[in-house]
Amino acid sequence: AIVTVVDNELPTLSLQNITRKLTSIDGLTVPATEFISTVNDNCSYTITPANFTFDCTDVGSQQVSITAKDGAGNEVTKNAQITIENPDALVEPSEGNTVVSSPGNYTVVDSNLLIHLSDNVDGATVSINENFHTGDELRLATGFTLPSGVTSNYSASTGVLTLSGTMTSQELQSIFQNIQFRTSSSNVLEREVVFNIGGGVSNSDNDHYYEYVSGAFTWEQARADAATKTLNGLQGYLATVTSASENEFITTKLSDDGWLGGSDSYTQINSALGSSLYANQTEAEAKNSRQLSTMQKF
């Protein structure tokens, strides 16, 4: 006699909700096993997918689906929630302000600054944002040696010190701790010095990051290139200026003219200019229809 054994029994699968914090600028990988409370079957089984990946765009509650399937093709799928928390600040300045008693002499900005990052870093910037004046200067302390393959360059016109090359997070922390400031300006307003991981400069007014990319681009090429870039899990795009203060920041911090994302919305144009140039949408479209394809920062 022939005995046919049929497996019609579904695997049993129980999931749990979990919370995880982002710890890397490259995102977070969570194995499916971390969601599983119990899984059983009368034969062997497989779990799919094996892993889930998350980045800064996933902060908050996210649903995942996990499937257990046995050798007979019986399968069961269950859902669970994962709460993704923001990472700790990658750059932690020390408390308080640095007092510059002799503005003409170099003073270390923050010798106790810390970096909470385990990855290698490809480039960084230090920028004087708020109240930057001609004559302000950033540099590395005399005698400090940069890691092999890393270079620094300070732009006196933008107040941005750019670090190029790949370095460990500990090497970058040491560099940041040895940044010095001085000024020949008579202006005594408090300066804001911002330390950035990555090639962009950050605007504390809107928490956006900006990067000037040199090269010969058409507007379409620039838009496509911007879309390929990411920073700490954030998706890149051509800058869209929505206020007069943002326009001023871009103008003072970027080293040359560049393409921008464009809009013919008369309210956004008026807001960016800080004026009432256009009374309505029809007027804006009539005057800007030939200019949008060549829009640059102004």
Side-chain angles (χ1 to χ4, degrees):
I2 298 175
V3 177
T4 301
V5 178
V6 178
D7 179 5
N8 292 320
E9 184 175 341
L10 295 175
T12 59
L13 176 65
S14 176
L15 304 183
Q16 61 183 347
N17 298 329
I18 63 175
T19 298
R20 295 292 183 270
K21 179 180 290 187
L22 293 171
T23 58
S24 167
I25 60 176
D26 295 322
L28 174 69
T29 299
V30 180
T33 53
E34 294 191 16
F35 293 93
I36 297 175
S37 297
T38 59
V39 58
N40 289 291
D41 189 69
N42 55 356
C43 296
S44 61
Y45 60 85
T46 58
I47 296 294
T48 56
N51 300 291
F52 298 90
T53 58
F54 305 94
D55 59 30
C56 290
T57 63
D58 298 310
V59 170
S61 181
Q62 304 294 331
Q63 179 174 287
V64 301
S65 296
I66 296 175
T67 298
K69 183 176 182 179
D70 65 19
N74 302 306
E75 63 179 55
V76 60
T77 299
K78 295 290 183 70
N79 298 326
Q81 298 290 324
I82 181 171
T83 300
I84 302 296
E85 296 181 339
N86 276 312
D88 295 328
L90 298 181
V91 179
E92 181 186 354
S94 59
E95 295 184 2
N97 296 327
T98 299
V99 177
V100 179
S101 56
S102 300
N105 297 327
Y106 288 105
T107 300
V108 173
V109 176
D110 191 347
S111 61
N112 295 313
L113 176 149
L114 298 176
I115 289 181
H116 302 289
L117 186 66
S118 58
D119 305 294
N120 286 344
V121 176
D122 186 14
T125 62
V126 184
S127 59
I128 306 169
N129 284 6
E130 189 174 337
N131 296 323
F132 168 67
H133 282 79
T134 300
D136 290 354
E137 183 181 351
L138 295 172
R139 75 163 192 182
L140 285 162
T142 301
F144 182 85
T145 302
L146 286 168
S148 176
V150 177
T151 60
S152 67
N153 179 67
Y154 178 71
S155 170
S157 62
T158 64
V160 178
L161 186 149
T162 301
L163 297 162
S164 302
T166 301
M167 65 210 89
T168 68
S169 57
Q170 286 300 307
E171 288 172 334
L172 180 59
Q173 177 176 286
S174 181
I175 293 171
F176 279 175
Q177 290 175 345
N178 281 274
I179 295 295
Q180 296 180 326
F181 168 86
R182 79 168 180 181
T183 185
S184 59
S185 170
S186 60
N187 186 287
V188 295
L189 288 175
E190 184 177 277
R191 310 295 202 268
E192 178 191 50
V193 178
V194 179
F195 296 83
N196 299 286
I197 294 177
V201 292
S202 63
N203 183 352
S204 56
D205 287 343
N206 60 9
D207 293 327
H208 288 187
Y209 294 83
Y210 304 83
E211 179 182 7
Y212 176 78
V213 179
S214 62
F217 298 99
T218 64
W219 185 86
E220 290 80 6
Q221 290 170 336
R223 180 178 61 174
D225 182 70
T228 67
K229 297 183 179 298
T230 59
L231 178 65
N232 299 345
L234 301 175
Q235 178 62 52
Y237 59 92
L238 282 183
T240 51
V241 180
T242 59
S243 69
S245 62
E246 183 179 17
N247 181 69
E248 181 181 3
F249 179 88
I250 292 174
T251 301
T252 57
K253 291 304 170 192
L254 300 188
S255 57
D256 206 341
D257 287 342
W259 295 113
L260 294 174
S263 171
D264 62 359
S265 167
Y266 82 98
T267 57
Q268 290 191 12
I269 294 173
N270 287 345
S271 176
L273 293 174
S275 67
S276 299
L277 181 63
Y278 300 122
N280 52 57
Q281 186 62 32
T282 301
E283 183 179 349
E285 291 178 356
K287 292 186 178 181
N288 288 284
S289 60
R290 295 184 179 180
Q291 298 176 16
L292 289 178
S293 63
T294 58
M295 182 173 290
Q296 293 178 283
K297 73 178 178 68
F298 51 88

